[in-house]
Amino acid sequence: MIRALAITAVWVAAVAAAGLALTLGPWWWLLAAAVAAVAALGTWDLVQTRHTILRAYPVLGHARFLAEALRPEIRQYFVESNTEASPFDRETRDMVYERAKGTKSDEPFGTERDVNALGYEFLRHSLRARLATDLAPRVRLGGPDCTLPYDIALLNVSAMSFGALSGNAIEALNGGAARGGFAHDTGEGAISPYHLAHGGDLIWEIGSGYFGCRDAAGHFDAALFEEKAALPSVKAISIKLSQGAKPGLGGVLPGAKVTAEIAATRGVPIGQTVVSPPAHTAFGTPLELMHFIATLRALSGGKPVGFKLCIGARTEFLSICKAMLHTGITPDFVIVDGSEGGTGAAPQEFEDHVGMPLTEGLMLVHNCLVGTGLRRHIRIGASGKVASGVDIVTRICQGADFTLSARAMMFAIGCIQAMKCNTNKCPTGVATQDRGRARALYVPDKIERVANFQRATVASAAQIVASMGLDSFAELEPSMLNRRIEGQRTRTYAEIYDWLMPGELLEDPPEDWRSDWIEASAEEFV
C-alpha cells in the first residue's frame, strides 16, 4: 500500500508539473516528462511479476541490477551484504539463480576453486563415461512395517516453517514440489493452507511443540494427528529430535509474529510468544521413541515415519540403534541435519560450535546402521547446503540415499541473503510476515523457478554419475570421493575413514567403537 501511494504521489507531481507548463512556460514540460517517466517506471515495477526486488522497491530496485551490469565486484557487494554467517559463495548462488530462471549456466575460463587447498574435494570420472538416461531417479521410503511407501526424489525442499517463511514463499515451494514431483518438508510449524494450495507432496515434521497436533497443554494429541496425517498430500512423517543450526534448543516465535493465521495453523493463542521445549514430552528414552514411531505409523495408516536429528554423540545414536534391535521397530528413514544448517535466528555460539557437521554426522549414522545390520531397512537423508549436482553425489558417497535443501530453494524463490530473516524485513518477501513485503514474491513465477532448479540439479547429478561410468546412484561408494588432506596428498573417503561391515558391531566391535557400543543403552539417551 505504501509503495502504491508513493507512486501515486509521483503521478500527482507529474500532473502538477504539466499544469505549471501550461501556465508558466514550456520548460516545465521537461520536468513533467521526467517525473512522469519515473512514475511510469514505478508503476511497471509494481505490476511486473519477474523481479521480486522491483516489486518490493519500485524504481530504487534498479540500482541493484545496474550494479550487476557494471562489474562482478560491485554485484558481490550488493548481493552479499553479510558474509559472516556462512553464506553460500557467489558462484554457487549464481548457479542456483540461473538454473531457477532456466538460463545458461556454463562458465568460461575454468574453475575458480583453489584445487591445491587443504580439504578440496573432487569426484573421480571414467573413460567409460556415458550419457545419463534416468534424469529423475527416486528412492523408496518404506521399511518392513510400512504399508504406504513413498518414492522420494533425490533432492527435496528441506524443513522451513510457515511463520519463519511467508505464506507466498511456502506456496511457491509447494507449487514447485507439485510441478517437479518432489517432496516439501513442512518444518515444525505445522501444515498451513499454503502447504496444501497446490497439492505438493509433504513430509510433515513433528517437533517438540507438536504444532498442528497438540492439546491445550502443548502435548501430543493423537486424534488431531490422525486427522491431519490422513491428508492425501502427507506422504511421510518426520519427528524432529534436533536441528542442525541450534541443537538442544527449541524454536521461539515472538508473540508479535503470531498472527491469527499462524495461531490457527499451529494451534496456539494469538499474539503470545511460542516456545518449543528443547526435548519431546511424548517420549524420553530410545525405547519410547521407537514405540512413538510405531504409534505414528499406525495413526497415519501405514505411511513412512522417520526422524531428523543433528548428531551430538556417537553413543546417543548407538542407543537408538539398540532400541531398534530390542523392539524390532525401525524408522523408515533418518534425516541427518548438519551443524552448519541454516535458521532464521539462533545464538551464534550454537550455530558455530554445537553439534556435529553434516559430513561426520552422515557417515556416523550410516556406519551405525550398517554395523548393527539395520541399514537395509532404513533410508538416510542428508539435509544441509545442498545446491548442486556434485553436492548430491558427494552426500550419497558419504552414506545418504536422498537429500534436502533449504537455502538453495530459498534462492530459487528470490532470496538474496540480505540477512534480515530475524527482523521481519526481508526485502524479497521470503522470510517475513509483512504482507506488503510478501506481496513482492509473485507465486506463479517462483513455482516455475523452484521446479526448474530441482530438475536441472538432479539431472546434473545424474550426468555426473554417468560420467563416472556408473549405471545408478546405488553404485556410488566412498572410494569415489577424494579429499586433499595435506600438501599434494589426496586420499579417498574409503582410505581416510573407517567403514563398518554389515553386523560388525553385533559380532565383534572394532576397538575404537567398543567402548561406545558397550556404553550405549536402549533405556536412555546416553
Side-chain angles (χ1 to χ4, degrees):
M1 178 62 70
I2 294 176
R3 297 162 181 80
L5 289 175
I7 298 302
T8 300
V10 178
W11 277 116
V12 170
V15 172
L20 291 173
L22 293 173
T23 57
L24 299 180
W27 289 106
W28 284 93
W29 284 112
L30 295 177
L31 177 61
V35 175
V38 171
L41 179 62
T43 302
W44 169 252
D45 290 343
L46 279 177
V47 300
Q48 60 82 36
T49 58
R50 184 165 178 79
H51 297 294
T52 303
I53 286 291
L54 297 183
R55 285 170 64 85
Y57 301 97
V59 182
L60 296 177
H62 286 276
R64 177 175 183 265
F65 297 99
L66 176 62
E68 288 182 345
L70 291 177
R71 58 184 293 128
E73 289 81 0
I74 297 179
R75 179 187 184 190
Q76 185 169 351
Y77 173 80
F78 272 80
V79 179
E80 299 177 15
S81 54
N82 185 336
T83 59
E84 297 179 356
S86 299
F88 276 57
D89 58 83
R90 177 172 58 84
E91 291 78 14
T92 300
R93 279 197 305 255
D94 286 350
M95 180 196 64
V96 174
Y97 293 150
E98 290 164 352
R99 283 183 174 170
K101 295 176 183 178
T103 57
K104 181 178 174 61
S105 60
D106 296 333
E107 298 292 339
F109 294 112
T111 182
E112 295 185 25
R113 309 293 181 184
D114 182 0
V115 299
N116 294 312
L118 185 66
Y120 176 76
E121 293 182 350
F122 61 96
L123 296 161
R124 81 176 196 190
H125 80 288
S126 173
L127 295 178
R128 296 178 290 104
R130 62 201 71 177
L131 289 176
T133 55
D134 184 2
L135 300 182
R138 306 185 78 83
V139 175
R140 173 149 295 192
L141 304 184
D145 298 321
C146 176
T147 58
L148 294 174
Y150 173 62
D151 293 333
I152 195 168
L154 287 193
L155 177 62
N156 307 276
V157 181
S158 192
M160 293 179 283
S161 300
F162 171 52
L165 266 58
S166 69
N168 279 15
I170 294 292
E171 187 177 343
L173 292 170
N174 189 257
R179 182 162 302 184
F182 50 96
H184 178 192
D185 191 314
T186 64
E188 67 174 313
I191 302 172
S192 71
Y194 304 103
H195 286 100
L196 303 173
H198 298 276
D201 294 347
L202 296 178
I203 300 173
W204 182 14
E205 185 175 277
I206 308 295
S208 58
Y210 305 111
F211 299 122
C213 57
R214 59 188 267 142
D215 61 20
H219 297 145
F220 177 70
D221 187 314
L224 277 176
F225 172 83
E226 184 175 19
E227 175 188 342
K228 293 178 182 177
L231 291 169
S233 293
V234 176
K235 303 299 182 182
I237 293 93
S238 176
I239 305 165
K240 175 187 172 182
L241 301 183
S242 61
Q243 178 181 346
K246 45 187 174 185
L249 290 178
V252 178
L253 189 64
K257 295 184 70 175
V258 183
T259 63
E261 194 173 33
I262 291 175
T265 296
R266 297 195 177 201
V268 298
I270 299 173
Q272 293 186 20
T273 297
V274 180
V275 180
S276 302
H280 281 260
T281 56
F283 56 88
T285 69
L287 290 174
E288 291 174 352
L289 169 60
M290 292 305 109
H291 290 299
F292 188 58
I293 288 172
T295 297
L296 297 189
R297 189 180 286 129
L299 290 173
S300 67
K303 292 180 179 181
V305 179
F307 58 84
K308 179 181 85 171
L309 82 169
C310 176
I311 297 295
R314 186 162 67 179
T315 50
E316 278 195 328
F317 196 79
L318 287 173
S319 296
I320 294 174
C321 291
K322 283 190 172 181
M324 296 180 199
L325 294 169
H326 181 83
T327 61
I329 301 169
T330 56
D332 298 293
F333 60 91
V334 175
I335 297 174
V336 184
D337 205 14
S339 62
E340 64 271 41
T343 181
Q348 195 67 50
E349 297 95 331
F350 277 78
E351 291 184 8
D352 291 342
H353 302 292
V354 181
M356 192 174 291
L358 180 57
T359 295
E360 287 77 8
L362 181 57
M363 293 188 297
L364 184 146
V365 168
H366 172 77
N367 267 318
C368 288
L369 294 177
V370 169
T372 53
L374 296 165
R375 184 66 173 90
R376 66 186 184 278
H377 300 309
I378 302 168
R379 297 291 173 260
I380 299 177
S383 175
K385 288 191 172 181
V386 177
S388 69
V390 168
D391 293 334
I392 295 174
V393 175
T394 294
R395 295 310 181 188
I396 294 177
C397 285
Q398 294 169 346
D401 295 295
F402 63 96
T403 65
L404 305 99
S405 175
R407 271 178 278 195
M409 293 293 182
M410 291 174 68
F411 295 152
I413 59 174
C415 170
I416 60 171
Q417 268 189 313
M419 302 300 186
K420 299 289 187 180
C421 309
N422 60 330
T423 66
N424 208 33
K425 295 180 180 180
C426 172
T428 56
V430 176
T432 180
Q433 295 306 307
D434 183 304
R435 289 186 178 276
R437 293 175 181 274
R439 172 206 168 273
L441 196 157
Y442 184 65
V443 173
D445 179 57
K446 303 311 181 187
I447 285 175
E448 189 67 30
R449 294 192 183 192
V450 170
N452 285 345
F453 165 68
Q454 193 272 352
R455 180 176 59 252
T457 302
V458 173
S460 173
Q463 185 54 55
I464 290 170
V465 170
S467 296
M468 297 168 71
L470 306 177
D471 293 319
S472 74
F473 286 84
E475 297 178 70
L476 290 169
E477 298 176 354
S479 62
M480 299 171 184
L481 178 61
N482 298 268
R483 183 180 181 87
R484 187 172 302 285
I485 57 173
E486 62 177 350
Q488 299 303 310
R489 296 179 62 202
T490 63
R491 293 290 185 271
T492 71
Y493 267 66
E495 297 169 323
I496 299 172
Y497 299 97
D498 294 326
W499 299 85
L500 297 181
M501 298 297 293
E504 188 174 356
L505 290 175
L506 304 178
E507 299 167 2
D508 184 21
E511 183 63 32
D512 59 345
W513 282 76
R514 187 168 292 126
S515 61
D516 285 345
W517 177 247
I518 293 172
E519 182 182 352
S521 170
E523 297 179 352
E524 60 179 328
F525 292 105
V526 178

